[in-house]
Amino acid sequence: MQIAPLVYLDQNEVYLPSDIQAQLNNTYPALNFTAIKTGPSPLLLTNLDQLNTIGHCSTSNFDDCPIYLTSKDDVAKNPPWLYGVLPDPTTHKTVGARSCAVIVSDRGNGIVDAFYMYFYAFNLGNVVLGQTLGNHVGDWEHTMVRFKDGKPIAMWFSQHDAGQAFTYDAVSKNGSRPIVYSAIGTHANYAVPGTHSRSIASVTLNDTTSAGPLWDPILSAYYYTYNHSSSPDGIFTGSDASTPVPWLSFLGRWGDERYLDSDPRQINFLNLSVEWKYDTGPTGPLDKDLNRTDVCPSGGGACTTLSTLPAVSGSSVPLTVSRSVSATPTVTGSSSPSNTAASGGAKSGARPLEAGLGIAGIVVAAAGMLYTGTGISDWSAGLLFLS
């Protein structure tokens, strides 16, 4: 049965899923707000990890890695590449843009976690007292489906620095595929539409979700297995030889470093040095606790897996964005001739693959399906082309 999540973007969303390689085309690596001249050029998904050595980065503390993929353009002027790609209204695919990474981790004892990593070029923050706070270049969000003996049992929805876990039976579905609602601007993932509130320092922040454009992330995705026991950082293996792998080991940030208070674009909210208009970009998939014990990431306190969905709170903001259903979505990449050819977009005629997980009775297909099988002990042995 199909189990890969489907994502409803908010009806007013303008910062849409984005091509992962295009983010490299439109940024340069910086250290202390200064461009790094000694790194790989052009910057590609196949060499991005080389920046770790320059920054003396270590997975022991991602926050200590001082490398930032910094926008070549002034983000305050909203360069077109920040807006990403509108999913095709018929196929729900981000045409020409690889905007998702599916990472499958076999934890042993019949437990398999399938992570769906969603990429957006820009995060629009929440509004507090009339001021938008927490904007940042680059945005990695994720959901995770946990399987036990080949059956989906639970699901994680990332939300800012936290999230929610539900039993698989509890979440809404299209057939057997779980439904995810992506919040406008922040892209936090929720199980129901409506208004979602959280408090930070006694200030209430609201996320809004609605059943806007439907996105099927697995139609334009890269596929990997992750072996957490092979090395201190784990080992990623791509679904085939053409799948770029090194970028997953990049330990720096996928966006600009928080602008200094002296930067005219920056606002230090109430001069408290707690929240800013523009904040630092996110770390990548490796920092999403791929080796977690519970459905929830480690370090967040007790993990509660809810068996019922929360009530829909409030109503969606009225539709204000006009969309042409006949428009063909396109990637807005860098104008640099040297980088344009390095697009991460899907190749025409490419066929999806099935990937063996190494536990009896389970094969997770690149199309996001589960089949009962005969138990494949090796990734390479499990590559079965779909016609």
Side-chain angles (χ1 to χ4, degrees):
M1 61 178 177
Q2 293 184 314
I3 48 78
L6 293 167
V7 179
Y8 275 111
L9 305 169
D10 187 79
Q11 61 183 354
N12 291 313
E13 184 63 74
V14 295
Y15 295 107
L16 302 163
S18 301
D19 184 74
I20 302 171
Q21 173 61 50
Q23 193 77 359
L24 306 189
N25 297 348
N26 289 293
T27 60
Y28 62 89
L31 174 65
N32 294 324
F33 297 99
T34 302
I36 295 172
K37 302 298 186 182
T38 57
S41 181
L43 204 57
L44 303 171
L45 297 176
T46 53
N47 60 27
L48 186 62
D49 62 327
Q50 295 177 27
L51 295 175
N52 293 339
T53 301
I54 298 173
H56 304 289
C57 303
S58 168
T59 51
S60 61
N61 190 342
F62 282 83
D63 289 338
D64 285 344
C65 184
I67 306 297
Y68 299 84
L69 301 182
T70 302
S71 173
K72 296 176 181 177
D73 303 300
D74 182 356
V75 299
K77 296 181 179 178
N78 294 311
W81 61 271
L82 293 183
Y83 293 109
V85 175
L86 177 66
D88 183 275
T90 302
T91 65
H92 314 301
K93 176 181 180 178
T94 51
V95 178
R98 293 286 187 98
S99 47
C100 175
V102 180
I103 302 172
V104 178
S105 175
D106 181 354
R107 297 190 48 76
N109 297 318
I111 299 293
V112 173
D113 291 337
F115 292 87
Y116 300 86
M117 302 286 176
Y118 313 126
F119 185 69
Y120 306 82
F122 189 74
N123 177 101
L124 183 67
N126 294 114
V127 176
V128 179
L129 300 178
Q131 176 61 56
T132 300
L133 302 173
N135 297 340
H136 54 79
V137 175
D139 194 17
W140 280 106
E141 302 291 343
H142 74 280
T143 57
M144 183 268 276
V145 178
R146 171 159 289 186
F147 299 88
K148 173 64 175 175
D149 297 328
K151 297 180 179 179
I153 60 172
M155 185 168 175
W156 170 256
F157 294 73
S158 71
Q159 300 160 0
H160 306 285
D161 294 329
Q164 290 178 301
F166 297 93
T167 62
Y168 175 80
D169 289 340
V171 299
S172 300
K173 302 176 187 69
N174 182 336
S176 56
R177 299 185 67 176
I179 297 297
V180 178
Y181 294 90
S182 174
I184 184 171
T186 69
H187 310 121
N189 297 302
Y190 293 93
V192 295
T195 301
H196 313 270
S197 300
R198 70 190 194 281
S199 295
I200 297 179
S202 300
V203 175
T204 298
L205 303 177
N206 292 322
D207 277 332
T208 301
T209 59
S210 65
L214 182 61
W215 175 33
D216 191 345
I218 60 171
L219 296 182
S220 289
Y222 295 113
Y223 296 88
Y224 305 89
T225 56
Y226 175 73
N227 187 337
H228 59 84
S229 61
S230 297
S231 74
D233 300 337
I235 296 293
F236 293 96
T237 302
S239 59
D240 62 15
S242 67
T243 301
V245 176
W247 68 274
L248 287 165
S249 297
F250 173 57
L251 304 179
R253 301 292 185 134
W254 284 77
D256 298 30
E257 186 172 2
R258 179 195 299 142
Y259 302 149
L260 299 174
D261 288 0
S262 57
D263 190 314
R265 298 170 294 182
Q266 186 63 285
I267 295 176
N268 183 340
F269 186 60
L270 301 179
N271 291 318
L272 295 176
S273 297
V274 175
E275 294 289 339
W276 287 262
K277 180 177 181 179
Y278 289 100
D279 216 330
T280 294
T283 50
L286 186 58
D287 194 27
K288 309 309 178 190
D289 199 4
L290 302 179
N291 190 30
R292 65 187 68 176
T293 300
D294 294 318
V295 179
C296 313
S298 306
C303 181
T304 300
T305 302
L306 304 174
S307 58
T308 57
L309 293 180
V312 176
S313 175
S315 59
S316 299
V317 175
L319 180 64
T320 60
V321 174
S322 298
R323 304 188 189 278
S324 172
V325 296
S326 62
T328 301
T330 58
V331 174
T332 53
S334 170
S335 58
S336 169
S338 63
N339 291 338
T340 301
S343 170
K347 299 177 181 178
S348 64
R351 293 182 292 171
L353 300 170
E354 291 178 350
L357 292 183
I359 80 171
I362 297 180
V363 174
V364 174
M369 303 177 184
L370 276 183
Y371 298 91
T372 55
T374 56
I376 300 172
S377 60
D378 183 270
W379 166 264
S380 59
L383 293 181
L384 305 175
F385 280 95
L386 301 177
S387 60

